[in-house]
Amino acid sequence: MATGETGFDDVTFDLISVQYHSLKAGHDYGQYVRDARNAGVDEIAEFFEQVMAEDSARAQRCHQFLAELTARGTSATSPQGSDEG
């Protein structure tokens, strides 16, 4: 697998990046839900809740993929030059 500038292979870095951004966005969406509820626009609050659930599922899927890569024992989850893998 190609190794990126981080020392981790590109696929691992990409999964971690998507997972991080999904979790971060999910945190932010909580405020959006509160804002919409406070404004009395429940339909929009429900939309934000749906988006938050989708990002949560996306983060969980990334977690599963990362666990699979680790279980394979590939160098995919180890830094370049590590003794592991």
Side-chain angles (χ1 to χ4, degrees), residues 28-49:
D28 295 341
Y29 296 146
Q31 182 61 51
Y32 304 166
V33 170
R34 288 188 294 278
D35 291 346
R37 294 262 184 242
N38 290 338
V41 284
D42 290 338
E43 184 177 11
I44 295 172
E46 290 168 9
F47 167 74
F48 288 137
E49 288 172 337

Side-chain angles (χ1 to χ4, degrees), residues 20-84:
Y20 168 80
H21 289 288
S22 295
L23 291 169
K24 172 71 171 99
H27 180 294
D28 295 341
Y29 296 146
Q31 182 61 51
Y32 304 166
V33 170
R34 288 188 294 278
D35 291 346
R37 294 262 184 242
N38 290 338
V41 284
D42 290 338
E43 184 177 11
I44 295 172
E46 290 168 9
F47 167 74
F48 288 137
E49 288 172 337
Q50 177 187 349
V51 171
M52 186 170 26
E54 291 168 358
D55 268 331
S56 179
R58 188 173 296 112
Q60 180 61 36
R61 188 73 170 133
C62 288
H63 185 77
Q64 292 168 345
F65 281 132
L66 288 164
E68 289 172 16
L69 290 175
T70 301
R72 288 183 194 167
T74 65
S75 62
T77 57
S78 300
Q80 183 179 14
S82 171
D83 292 338
E84 298 176 22

